[in-house]
Amino acid sequence: MESMIQFDNVTKQYPGSPTPAVNSLTIAVPEGETCVVIGPSGCGKTTAMKMVNRLIEPTSGAIFVGGRNILKQNVIELRRSIGYVIQQIGLFPHFTIRENIALVPEMLGWSQARRLRRADELLDVVGLDPAQFRDRYPRQLSGGQRQRVGVARALAADPPVMLMDEPFGAIDPITRDRLQNEFLRLQKQLRKTIMFVTHDIDEALKMGTLICILQVGGDLQQIDSPKTILSQPANSFVADFVGSDRGLKKLTLVRVSETMQTNPTVGSYDEPTADLVVRMRQHEMDSVFIVDDQHKLVGYVALEAAQAHSGRAADVLSPVIATTEEEATMRDAFSAMLSYGIRFLPVLNSHQQLTGLVSADDAQGLIRQSHPAALAR
Amino acid sequence: MENLVEFLISIKDGLLYYVPGVGRPDRVLEFLAGHLLITLVTLVFAILISIPLGILITRVEWLYEPVIKLTGMLYTVPSFAMFGLLVPIVGIGFKPAIVALTLYSLLAIVRNTAVGINGIDQAIIEAARGMGMRDRAILLKVELPLALPVIFAGIRIATVSTISLATLASFFGADSLGSLIFEGISAGGTRNDKIVAGAIGAAFLAIVFDAIVSRIERVLPGSVAR
Ligand SMILES: Nc1ncnc2c1ncn2[C@@H]1O[C@H](COP(=O)(O)OP(=O)(O)OP(=O)(O)O)[C@@H](O)[C@H]1O
Ligand SMILES: [Mg+2]
């Protein structure tokens, strides 16, 4: 049994409730996988997750973390060895950001110097400048920044297992996409075993390597890879839950990095517009992205504008209205292109450098490929 | 108009009582010391009883109602009746004053402690538990610091009411600024300056204590959270 998190016939029945919140649940999450638990409101997602760190005790059944029965373990030690992120974040408002992050290390008895170093390191990891943020209080941060600190705090003692209950639920869609991408990037290196609760099927398909679908009453409907969930839903509940636009959903399974055109044709900041015109004609483009000497995206130049003005690229530069990242799904990219009415989307890495290009044509191609007959394969 | 002039004159007389050579500042100081002693001892007892009791009723839910009701009932007993009931038990003087004033102070501090703790965002407590904080650490490092501003608001109410009620305690033999007032009253209108002097002193004390407590309130750890 090589699962990192294992549920064996776990049932939770709250006192006074006629039906169980979680009903004889058996799931196994192998090390390094992200198991997304999803289902309608009240189906027992939170209950299932909180039994792992014993905030809730199961009525019957057994749960193993790292092969050890959690009920036979010291509850305090267990919790300190599991990262925990909740939707409401729950930062301590009277602690600075650094104190918040260093809390578990402090309880584990790390030295002051090591704790401070770790807090700074983690702020970096979640994309917050330590010098700027370490001494602030939570109320001095935006919602997205707080959520990042929440993730940093959970990672502080480098726990092998993470529990995340709708961690990106309370933030706006654009920030949520960015946080999801960052987290995927992070997870690629960290390879934590994660139990992730959401009620957003697109988030589930994007974040999960395993998807566990529950029905109200805490009944497991299916646990499988995102691909299998989409192509072979176990029953009509799963099929309905996943939704009818399965062609579009399939875009969720394809990362931008898998389809993007790498090394796209670009122009540089101080190039003569005449040169840009030549290049665009040559490649049959009607606009070209412009980068600076560090290959950071600074804008684009339209063919007409370049033709009408003889000067440098910088003179006729237009700002880019939308970008995407390699970890994003093609669905994220496609819906951004649709909502901004554009046909190309530049792909940036975490340093704002242009690494590729995706097009609406690519996305439509994927949808066409994935009509039911193709999915059934 | 005439009344106003009379009022100002009596204030002046009262203040003259504080002037060396003219009045008796030594006696004012003595009574002030008595008043302070009653207030501080009362607050120490009230805080030592009320904060643990307030914490307890957030932990043992069924105790909440009866404790709040009981302290509420104590609070509504008229002060003369309270002293009158205590005298046969603890005698006259300092002791009944402390007991009575402590009993009056319970409600504000117990209730505010419980309200302060129960008012903390449950997500914060859950995060603390989920990260493996022990109950004791949650209480000391999270709940109490975050509830402290509310607890202090209760202490402030208790302080002001203790200072005003300590005046009455002199009627039952305790030394406080009230003693000056009662002396003035017994003098049958010939020594109204004493009455005013005592009243000014007690009012001044209440204002100063209120300012001190609210100054402390502002620098509490929980206040950065707001
Ligand atoms: N402490 C509790 N006492 C009694 N019943 C509870 C308790 N917590 C949850 N329940 C019930 O158990 C069921 C499952 O709740 P749970 O919070 O696990 O659902 P969920 O899937 O996380 O829902 P949501 O998507 O709304 O967060 C619900 O019917 C809920 O009302
Ligand atoms: Mg939930």
Side-chain angles (χ1 to χ4, degrees):
Chain A
M1 185 192 67
E2 270 318 293
S3 335
M4 196 67 179
I5 305 173
Q6 167 109 23
F7 281 60
D8 275 351
N9 261 304
V10 176
T11 294
K12 173 68 191 183
Q13 184 134 16
Y14 288 106
S17 158
T19 54
V22 169
N23 190 13
S24 160
L25 184 65
T26 298
I27 55 177
V29 188
E31 188 171 353
E33 304 261 329
T34 302
C35 174
V36 177
V37 183
I38 188 168
S41 187
C43 69
K45 305 183 288 291
T46 299
T47 303
M49 204 195 73
K50 284 188 185 171
M51 284 193 282
V52 177
N53 62 358
R54 291 180 63 184
L55 286 174
I56 295 174
E57 302 277 332
T59 312
S60 66
I63 299 173
F64 299 84
V65 171
R68 293 174 65 194
N69 186 336
I70 59 162
L71 292 175
K72 299 194 173 127
Q73 227 174 317
N74 177 300
V75 65
I76 298 291
E77 277 169 27
L78 174 79
R79 288 177 184 158
R80 289 177 185 175
S81 69
I82 295 176
Y84 187 46
V85 187
I86 53 177
Q87 175 172 358
Q88 312 87 328
I89 315 174
L91 295 182
F92 301 119
H94 58 308
F95 284 12
T96 61
I97 297 309
R98 182 149 70 180
E99 290 166 342
N100 266 285
I101 297 175
L103 187 74
V104 176
E106 189 189 340
M107 295 190 293
L108 292 174
W110 292 19
S111 72
Q112 162 106 352
R114 183 167 169 217
R115 288 194 320 251
L116 298 186
R117 225 179 317 121
R118 182 65 177 157
D120 278 3
E121 188 182 305
L122 281 165
L123 279 172
D124 252 338
V125 165
V126 297
L128 296 173
D129 174 20
Q132 198 184 339
F133 288 97
R134 62 164 85 92
D135 293 320
R136 291 203 195 172
Y137 286 94
R139 71 181 150 86
Q140 298 166 314
L141 267 57
S142 72
Q145 290 165 342
R146 272 181 229 167
Q147 199 56 268
R148 287 185 160 94
V149 175
V151 172
R153 182 173 67 170
L155 288 169
D158 202 16
V161 173
M162 303 264 290
L163 304 176
M164 309 178 81
D165 194 352
E166 306 208 25
F168 309 131
I171 31 194
D172 66 278
I174 293 175
T175 313
R176 186 194 314 146
D177 272 354
R178 293 229 333 256
L179 287 182
Q180 287 169 344
N181 297 339
E182 282 168 17
F183 192 77
L184 284 168
R185 226 160 18 226
L186 202 60
Q187 168 63 358
K188 216 189 249 168
Q189 304 163 17
L190 301 179
R191 313 243 341 124
K192 305 284 181 197
T193 309
I194 301 170
M195 198 161 160
F196 187 115
V197 167
T198 181
H199 57 245
D200 174 359
I201 183 69
D202 294 315
E203 182 172 65
L205 293 168
K206 177 173 179 181
M207 305 303 288
T209 57
L210 272 178
I211 306 223
C212 165
I213 301 186
L214 297 181
Q215 163 68 297
V216 176
D219 291 314
L220 178 65
Q221 303 295 304
Q222 186 169 8
I223 175 163
D224 262 315
S225 71
K227 203 170 191 163
T228 313
I229 294 277
L230 279 182
S231 58
Q232 296 157 36
N235 55 37
S236 59
F237 175 81
V238 174
D240 287 347
F241 193 81
V242 170
S244 50
D245 57 342
R246 272 198 271 154
L248 208 54
K249 285 275 164 18
K250 184 119 193 261
L251 286 183
T252 314
L253 300 182
V254 183
R255 303 289 152 172
V256 164
S257 59
E258 295 168 48
T259 47
M260 71 181 188
Q261 172 199 339
T262 49
N263 298 317
T265 307
V266 293
S268 78
Y269 202 67
D270 48 10
E271 236 178 313
T273 47
D275 291 6
L276 293 178
V277 172
V278 171
R279 194 167 318 142
M280 282 189 261
R281 288 238 170 90
Q282 194 184 341
H283 291 92
E284 295 179 358
M285 297 155 71
D286 50 18
S287 64
V288 64
F289 288 113
I290 304 294
V291 294
D292 66 9
D293 47 6
Q294 287 158 357
H295 219 72
K296 285 187 184 168
L297 182 66
V298 291
Y300 75 93
V301 167
L303 180 59
E304 285 169 24
Q307 282 170 329
H309 185 95
S310 63
R312 307 255 156 205
D315 307 332
V316 287
L317 201 62
S318 306
V320 170
I321 48 176
T323 63
T324 187
E325 296 164 277
E326 294 182 16
E327 293 75 16
T329 65
M330 278 305 285
R331 187 190 160 96
D332 295 339
F334 191 45
S335 65
M337 287 187 274
L338 285 181
S339 56
Y340 289 105
I342 48 182
R343 285 177 37 235
F344 292 97
L345 207 55
V347 183
L348 304 186
N349 65 13
S350 53
H351 305 292
Q352 302 299 307
Q353 291 162 324
L354 183 71
T355 58
L357 208 60
V358 286
S359 71
D361 291 344
D362 295 343
Q364 277 154 347
L366 286 167
I367 297 175
R368 245 174 276 122
Q369 257 180 41
S370 65
H371 57 72
L375 270 172
R377 259 186 294 134
Chain B
M1 195 62 203
E2 215 168 289
N3 283 342
L4 181 68
V5 172
E6 238 170 76
F7 173 72
L8 289 176
I9 290 173
S10 64
I11 295 278
K12 185 206 72 183
D13 290 342
L15 287 173
L16 281 178
Y17 196 79
Y18 286 72
V19 179
V22 187
R24 292 290 305 275
D26 55 322
R27 296 197 70 216
V28 174
L29 230 51
E30 193 189 318
F31 289 134
L32 191 71
H35 209 120
L36 271 175
L37 190 67
I38 292 175
T39 307
L40 292 176
V41 172
T42 297
L43 285 176
V44 168
F45 278 123
I47 289 171
L48 286 181
I49 297 169
S50 304
I51 292 185
L53 196 57
I55 294 168
L56 180 72
I57 63 175
T58 64
R59 299 297 192 267
V60 188
E61 259 171 54
W62 60 268
L63 275 176
Y64 190 96
E65 281 277 323
V67 167
I68 293 295
K69 280 228 175 82
L70 184 71
T71 53
M73 259 160 59
L74 287 171
Y75 187 73
T76 53
V77 176
S79 23
F80 270 84
M82 175 80 91
F83 283 113
L85 289 170
L86 284 172
V87 169
I89 307 171
V90 291
I92 60 163
F94 185 70
K95 270 200 235 157
I98 297 299
V99 175
L101 298 186
T102 302
L103 292 178
Y104 279 129
S105 299
L106 295 181
L107 177 66
I109 307 178
V110 170
R111 191 183 47 196
N112 279 36
T113 301
V115 167
I117 289 177
N118 285 336
I120 297 170
D121 182 358
Q122 278 312 297
I124 295 171
I125 307 299
E126 196 199 296
R129 294 218 302 140
M131 287 191 302
M133 270 179 117
R134 292 177 204 282
D135 290 345
R136 227 180 108 84
I138 294 177
L139 177 66
L140 296 178
K141 288 193 184 165
V142 180
E143 291 179 297
L144 281 180
L146 287 177
L148 222 46
V150 184
I151 297 175
F152 253 78
I155 293 177
R156 197 165 141 192
I157 295 167
T159 306
V160 173
S161 80
T162 299
I163 290 173
S164 80
L165 288 170
T167 322
L168 282 184
S170 340
F171 195 80
F172 296 88
D175 276 343
S176 77
L177 288 162
S179 312
L180 214 51
I181 297 176
F182 286 114
E183 277 180 24
I185 292 172
S186 344
T190 59
R191 292 303 304 270
N192 286 356
D193 61 328
K194 281 190 177 177
I195 301 179
V196 177
I200 290 176
F204 173 76
L205 209 56
I207 291 169
V208 168
F209 262 73
D210 190 55
I212 293 172
V213 179
S214 71
R215 196 62 52 84
I216 299 174
E217 244 176 276
R218 244 173 286 154
V219 299
L220 292 177
S223 59
V224 301
R226 265 134 243 265

